[in-house]
Structure formats: structure tokens, C-alpha cells
Amino acid sequence: MFDFLKGMSPITQALLATMFTWFVTALGASLVFFFKTINKKVFDAMLGFAAGIMIAASFWSLLNPGITLAEEMGYVAWVPAAIGFMGGGIFLYIVDRLLPHLHLGLAANKAEGIKTSWQRSVLLVLAITLHNIPEGLAVGVAFGAVYHGISTASMAGAVALAIGIGLQNFPEGAAVSIPLRREGMSRFKAFLLGQASGVVEPIAGVLGAYLVSIMRPILPYALCFAAGAMIYVVIEELIPEAQSNGNSDVATMGALIGFTIMMILDVALG
């Protein structure tokens, strides 16, 4: 089914896959041309959906293959998993503390990271951009694993991961553009800023694929690193934001649906 990808380098594969995820971010941001506001329950369900996909992808597409690969390479299986997973979370924690950004629905004086005079719109974009670093990295590492012929990795599985990440990028694009439109920004400018939050994914994807393609021993660590970074985003940002409006049941059902869809994609295709 994906034979056309097999003749390409892992870097090219990762670039194409993350360009797709960026495109889906832009599709989500394009909702601003049709809506000025979005129902809070729908929005919270979308955030829960994104969280569910990221949780499932972290295990099925990253942690589990990373542990299996570590065993095949003669490592003590839990060591790369623990180091990589915690490393990913700590890396995102450091970035979260340093990068100026603003979570959805908060006033500008609630911005996190180094204090700055940047506009609220820029801070909102940077918050979503922070989500997209581990997502792009995960896709790149997945294609790098296929390049090395890892038994637990397959082209279909890497594509499934990219599709799952793309699905959860749709609400993230809307999560930036629609609030900016509601604050008075023009539709076109709000769209540009919304889709810009996905620019980092191709960069992170190419970087991940490049590193694991030249340094095979780090692959188990890289897979688990991406998983840890994604789980950090889910617990620190997506779940709290999804439940901040009192719609916890809707957000939870969205997470269950997202997890199920990503699990089906990974098991059926991978």
C-alpha cells in the first residue's frame, strides 16, 4: 500500500509525513473562515480527542517498539525506556519553563516561560507549537526505525502514526485561529497564525529521522524520548485545558474515542 515511500530516504519520508500533519493543522485553522466562535463542549471534546490520540501513540507507536527494540539490541529493556521516557518529559519541562507561551483561555498576564512583551497572539501560537515538537519528532523517529529494519517497526505503522498525529492536529489548528478571530483579528491573519503553529513539525520530524538514521544505538532511547515528551504535553496542557470549562465527561469521552482510533490505526496498519 505504501510502496511509493519505500524507495525514499527516511528523512524524505519524515518530511512528507510531517508536511501532511502541518497541512491538517492548516485545515483546522481554516475553520476560522466559517466560524467566529466554537461551542465549549465541542472544543473540549476535540482537546480530549487529541489527548487520547497522543496517549495511544505514545504506547503503541513509541514505547512498546522502543522496549522491544532494546531487548533485541541486548540492552536491559527497561533502561532505555526509563531514561528516554523521563528525558522526553524533562526536556519539555525545560522548554515549557523557558519558552514564552500562553495557554488557551488565559489572560496575557498568565503567560508562562521567560517574561516578554510579545503579543498575546504570538504567545498562543507558541503554546500550540510546543505541543508539536514531540509530535514531529515522533513521526521522524518512527520512519528512522523503519529504515533500520527494526522488527517492531513497519512503514504502515509509521504512516498510521502520521495519520493519527494529523487527526489530532485538526483541533489544535482551530484552537489557535478561532480564539484569535474572536479577539478581533482578521480571519486571514488568524488563519496564518493558526497554521504557523504546525511549522515546527517538519523541522522536528526531519531532525528525528536524521539522528536515528546515523546513530542506530540511540533509537530505543529516541522512541521512548518522544513518548515521554508527548505524555508531558497531554498531562500538563491538554487534559487540564479540556476540563477547565466543567465539561469533564465530554472531554473524557473524546479522549477515549481518540485513544481507540489511534489504537485501531496502529494495530490494523502496523
Side-chain angles (χ1 to χ4, degrees):
M1 184 185 300
F2 305 108
D3 289 344
F4 72 97
L5 289 171
K6 292 181 178 178
M8 302 177 183
S9 72
I11 295 173
T12 303
Q13 293 166 350
L15 177 62
L16 291 176
T18 48
M19 289 294 288
F20 163 75
T21 62
W22 180 15
F23 172 72
V24 180
T25 304
L27 280 182
S30 71
L31 291 180
V32 75
F33 293 111
F34 307 99
F35 305 99
K36 190 173 181 177
T37 61
I38 187 168
N39 182 277
K40 288 187 183 298
K41 282 191 174 182
V42 173
F43 184 66
D44 291 341
M46 292 167 68
L47 288 176
F49 177 81
I53 283 183
M54 291 180 71
I55 293 170
S58 295
F59 177 74
W60 295 101
S61 300
L62 298 169
L63 262 179
N64 191 44
I67 292 170
T68 303
L69 175 58
E71 292 175 335
E72 293 176 356
M73 296 176 68
Y75 296 137
V76 178
W78 60 266
V79 173
I83 293 175
F85 187 81
M86 287 302 300
I90 292 170
F91 170 76
L92 256 290
Y93 170 78
I94 294 171
V95 174
D96 191 56
R97 300 291 292 180
L98 296 178
L99 181 70
H101 64 284
L102 178 66
H103 295 298
L104 298 169
L106 297 181
N109 61 2
K110 298 293 185 180
E112 298 180 7
I114 296 174
K115 298 303 179 183
T116 176
S117 59
W118 293 349
Q119 293 183 350
R120 174 183 169 85
S121 58
V122 175
L123 295 173
L124 283 169
V125 172
L126 288 176
I128 303 298
T129 300
L130 187 61
H131 295 184
N132 292 337
I133 293 173
E135 295 166 12
L137 183 65
V139 174
V141 170
F143 280 100
V146 176
Y147 169 78
H148 283 298
I150 306 305
S151 62
T152 53
S154 69
M155 185 64 67
V159 171
L161 177 61
I163 292 172
I165 295 298
L167 287 175
Q168 67 92 39
N169 275 358
F170 187 83
E172 288 191 350
V176 176
S177 63
I178 291 177
L180 292 178
R181 172 58 181 161
R182 189 169 60 242
E183 292 177 5
M185 187 175 290
S186 71
R187 284 187 170 90
F188 185 67
K189 187 174 180 181
F191 165 75
L192 286 179
L193 287 172
Q195 63 81 35
S197 64
V199 172
V200 72
E201 287 198 6
I203 298 171
V206 167
L207 178 63
Y210 173 73
L211 289 176
V212 299
S213 66
I214 62 172
M215 293 184 286
R216 187 178 187 273
I218 72 167
L219 187 49
Y221 295 90
L223 286 164
C224 298
F225 180 95
M230 289 177 69
I231 292 297
Y232 180 91
V233 168
V234 169
I235 296 174
E236 202 272 338
E237 298 188 22
L238 289 182
I239 290 177
E241 288 171 8
Q243 302 199 0
S244 62
N245 296 311
N247 298 317
S248 60
D249 290 344
V250 172
T252 300
M253 289 306 301
L256 290 173
I257 292 169
F259 186 99
T260 302
I261 288 176
M262 186 65 231
M263 180 177 62
I264 290 172
L265 281 172
D266 195 274
V267 174
L269 295 180

